[in-house]
Structure formats: structure tokens, C-alpha cells
């Protein structure tokens, strides 16, 4: 099963895509993914119910979050009510250690995203803050990053022995599915996704065309 | 081929790719006309002295390019909104392409939504956004 693990809808302040149009686009363009995770900025969107939309289009639609720490932005998978109460998702100065600790306590998985980018990526903060405890996975393919930024992410993952995931970081409809992650088994819920990410059997994918093509 | 009516538009339809003129002479003309003729838009060296990678194409000029692209595709379109997110600066004298694709059609309202992406020669997205456009029925 292939999931785009990093997408934003109009629920995010800089998102411009309606979820129904993501679904329509994936099917119309035959984008090779089976679903996607909505990782809205600085929030967990508990209120939206995409089940009917998912069934209509035969897609898996899950929800996570993208929070902000001193190491840059971090995707959180397997968000629960308890996790939402554990720290302030809207805080743009969250200590990564607090996020990692809370995720461990409540069964969620933190994944620093676009870690090769300046300012909002983890690699830019390693010199100042050191290698963080508790990070196992980073996003090595990000559909919104430059090729050189993904190369930094991949080099960091190799050096620090991190696992890698891929996500499009789509903010508009036509950018969904540029990068994704393959899992060997079907995933149907946020908790199953978190369980799969707690293991190591997944593979980051990119569907972007090489530059110059 | 240009679009004349809403009924001519299909979901997923791509607008003809547009290569805007981001040359210094054109940007200078625009900046002067818009009252944005500061050196960061019209002088590479002055822009670099400000820590920028080169003279910038003004954001409103980039938005103008997006509108021009839409009107080349649908001359009768009424552009209600162009909503852009600037991910990185658009630099004068560098080559860019603008792509657009229809991602929503509201037949009742007679409107379409278009994804817009400004990419550099490396294929990197510099600006993205959406436009809401009303078309004749």
C-alpha cells in the first residue's frame, strides 16, 4: 500500500486544496497512491470526517499533524485525544524532546519533515542543538523541497541511521502524490499507520521527474 | 486552443505552459509603472548588497504573469481571485515556466479553480497558488 504521508488541505493556513479535489485528482490522473495523510499545520483536525469521501473514491484518508519545534517542522502520526492534550499543537516553539516524549507515551510517531531545508528543517539545527534523542525516522523525499534539500536529508539519514519516509507536502491539488511511502500491508487507520511506522518495513518513494526532463 | 465557455473545460485540463519575460528591461518597465522601482527590483548588485540572490521580480508582477496566462487560455475569463504562496524569490534574468491545471469545476456558479505553479529551470517550485475564474456559460 502506498500512502502520501504529508499533505495539507484548506484547513491549513497556507493550504489551498479541498480534500474532495485531491481524491478526484488522484483518480482522474491515476496517481499511483492508495491514500494520503492530512498533516495540517499546528493542529489536529479532529472534526473533519472524510470517511464517505474515502469510500466513494476507494482511497485511504488519514489524519496527522505537522508541528513546529526548535529543530524545525515535525510530522506526527497516530495522534490521539490524549496526545492532543499532552502539548500545545499551536505552539511554534515546541521542544522536540517534549513532542518525542509525548509521542512515545501515547503511541504516536514523530517524523521531522523536509529536514534538509534551511530554518524549518532539522539538519539546520543539529550544530546548535545536537542530535536529538528519540528520532528514528525523517522525511527523505519531500515533494516541496529542492533536490539539493532532499540530498541533505538523505545524507543526514544515512549518517545518523534514520529510516526514511516520503510525502508530497502538497498544498495544492495537483501536487499530491509527488512523493509517498510504500508499506507491505494495508493500513486503514491512524493507529495502524503508527504501528507500521514503529516498525521498519516501509520505503520512501519519489515520483518526481528528474530536473531538466 | 482558447476556451470560450465553461462547458469547454474539463477537470484536469492543463493550460498552455507560459514562459514569462523576467528580463531586467521588462522588470524595470513594470517596476517603474507600478511605482516599485526600488533597486532590489531593478539592480542585481544593489539587490545582492541587501543579501538577496539577485534582483527580484516583484510579487505583483508574478501575479500579473499568472493572470496573463489565464487570459491567454480563456480570453473572456473573469479572474475573481489569484491566491499565491511565495516559497522562494523569483529572480530577474532567470528562466521560469508557469503551469496551470483545472482542479475544480463548479457548474452551478460557472466557475473553475486552477492550480498555478511557477517553476525554475531545475523544476523547483518557486510560487504556487490557485485562481478562481468565472467563465461564460
Amino acid at each position: 500500500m502506498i500512502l502520501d504521508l504529508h499533505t495539507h488541505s484548506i484547513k491549513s493556513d497556507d493550504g489551498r486544496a479541498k480534500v474532495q479535489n485531491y481524491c478526484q485528482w488522484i483518480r482522474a490522473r491515476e496517481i499511483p497512491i492508495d491514500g494520503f495523510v492530512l498533516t495540517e499545520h499546528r493542529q489536529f483536525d479532529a472534526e473533519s470526517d472524510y470517511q464517505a469521501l474515502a469510500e466513494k473514491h476507494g482511497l485511504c484518508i488519514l489524519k496527522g499533524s505537522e508541528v513546529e519545534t526548535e529543530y524545525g517542522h515535525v510530522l506526527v502520526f497516530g495522534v490521539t485525544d490524549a496526545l492532543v492534550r499532552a502539548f500545545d499543537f499551536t505552539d511554534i516553539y515546541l521542544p522536540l524532546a517534549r513532542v518525542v516524549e509525548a509521542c512515545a507515551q501515547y503511541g504516536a510517531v514523530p517524523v521531522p519533515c523536509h529536514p534538509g531545508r534551511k530554518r524549518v528543517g532539522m539538519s539546520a539545527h543539529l550544530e546548535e542543538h545536537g542530535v536529538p534523542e528519540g528520532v528514528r525516522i525523517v522525511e527523505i523525499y519531500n515533494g516541496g523541497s529542492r533536490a539539493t534539500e532532499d540530498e541533505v536529508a538523505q545524507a543526514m539519514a544515512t549518517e545518523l541511521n534514520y529510516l526514511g519516509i516520503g510525502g508530497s507536502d502538497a498544498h495544492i491539488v495537483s501536487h499530491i502524490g509527488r512523493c509517498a511511502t510504500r508499506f507491505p500491508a494495508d493500513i486503514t487507520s491512524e493507529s495502524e499507520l503508527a504501528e507500521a511506522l514503529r516498525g521498519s518495513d516501509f520505503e520512501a518513494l519519489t515520483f518526481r521527474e528528474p530536473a531538466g526532463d | 486552443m482558447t476556451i470560450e465557455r465553461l462547458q469547454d473545460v474539463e477537470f484536469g485540463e492543463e493550460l498552455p505552459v507560459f514562459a514569462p519575460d523576467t528580463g531586467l528591461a521588462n522588470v524595470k518597465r513594470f517596476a517603474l509603472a507600478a511605482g516599485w522601482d526600488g533597486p532590489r527590483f531593478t539592480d542585481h548588485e544593489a539587490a545582492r548588497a541587501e543579501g538577496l540572490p539577485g534582483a527580484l521580480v516583484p510579487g505583483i508582477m508574478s501575479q500579473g504573469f499568472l493572470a496573463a496566462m489565464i487570459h491567454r487560455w480563456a480570453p473572456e475569463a473573469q479572474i475573481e481571485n489569484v491566491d499565491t504562496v511565495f516559497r522562494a524569490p523569483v529572480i530577474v534574468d532567470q528562466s521560469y515556466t508557469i503551469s496551470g491545471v483545472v482542479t475544480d469545476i463548479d457548474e452551478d456558479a460557472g466557475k473553475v479553480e486552477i492550480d498555478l505553479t511557477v517553476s525554475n529551470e531545475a523544476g523547483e517550485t518557486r510560487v504556487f497558488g490557485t485562481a478562481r475564474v468565472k467563465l461564460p456559460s
Side-chain angles (χ1 to χ4, degrees), chain A residues 35-74:
Chain A
F36 52 94
V37 184
L38 293 156
T39 49
E40 312 294 5
H41 289 292
R42 300 177 301 280
Q43 61 179 297
F44 178 68
D45 174 22
E47 64 183 12
S48 299
D49 183 354
Y50 299 116
Q51 190 56 38
L53 205 54
E55 287 174 8
K56 177 181 176 185
H57 293 277
L59 290 165
C60 174
I61 305 175
L62 303 177
K63 293 185 283 190
S65 183
E66 181 175 350
V67 299
E68 300 183 18
T69 76
E70 81 276 31
Y71 281 90
H73 295 190
V74 177

Side-chain angles (χ1 to χ4, degrees), chain A residues 100-145:
Chain A
V100 167
E101 178 190 359
C103 285
Q105 185 175 357
Y106 296 109
V109 178
V111 178
C113 53
H114 39 68
R117 284 195 212 166
K118 293 175 182 171
R119 196 173 61 78
V120 297
M122 183 175 134
S123 67
H125 303 283
L126 289 177
E127 191 173 320
E128 182 182 0
H129 300 303
V131 177
E133 296 286 332
V135 171
R136 292 177 53 246
I137 310 168
V138 294
E139 186 182 53
I140 59 170
Y141 289 131
N142 174 284
S145 289

Side-chain angles (χ1 to χ4, degrees), chain A residues 5 37 39 64-65 75-79 107-111 165 190 193-194 197:
Chain A
L5 294 183
V37 184
T39 49
S65 183
L75 300 173
V76 180
F77 301 105
V79 179
V109 178
V111 178
I165 64 161
E190 283 82 4
L193 175 60
L197 289 171

